[in-house]
Amino acid sequence: MQITHLPGRGLVAAVISSIGIRHEGALGLVSTGLYLDLSRVLRNPADDPTMRYRTGLDDDVYAHVLKTPGALTLINRTAVQLRALAEEVPVGRLVRLTVACQGGRRRVR
């Protein structure tokens, strides 16, 4: 897990996690915060056999997903929403973003 500190009125930690909606019980992992289902929005690297068993930590997988038309706009809009949420939570609390994809391996970097 990587924790990112967002600037603002005080220290707020943002936790971003990825779940695979094809896995039984995945939606049960969603707690508070923002939830985005990107399972049909961004390119699915698993559709390419050379990327099937790799993750978003691999540069070519990361680049493949970012080549989806509108991907950077989506990322920027999500960052705005996460910052807005961070302004609303008490200092010292966590802000959570859960991102759903098909398998849960390729969206987090």
Side-chain angles (χ1 to χ4, degrees), residues 18-29 101-106:
S18 175
I19 62 170
I21 61 169
R22 292 185 304 171
H23 300 288
E24 186 175 330
L27 290 177
L29 298 173
C101 63
Q102 295 287 327
R105 295 172 51 122
R106 296 173 185 86

Side-chain angles (χ1 to χ4, degrees), residues 21-89:
I21 61 169
R22 292 185 304 171
H23 300 288
E24 186 175 330
L27 290 177
L29 298 173
V30 178
S31 60
T32 61
L34 298 175
Y35 170 74
L36 296 176
D37 183 345
L38 302 178
S39 61
R40 303 210 190 292
V41 177
L42 298 176
R43 288 181 175 178
N44 185 3
D47 292 340
D48 180 339
T50 65
M51 294 187 205
R52 186 161 292 143
Y53 299 103
R54 300 174 67 200
T55 74
L57 298 174
D58 295 304
D59 289 337
D60 55 340
V61 173
Y62 179 74
H64 178 82
V65 173
L66 285 182
K67 286 181 185 175
T68 305
L72 292 177
T73 299
L74 177 66
I75 291 167
N76 289 330
R77 287 180 179 169
T78 302
V80 168
Q81 291 177 330
L82 195 58
R83 282 184 161 210
L85 182 59
E87 288 296 320
E88 298 300 320
V89 301

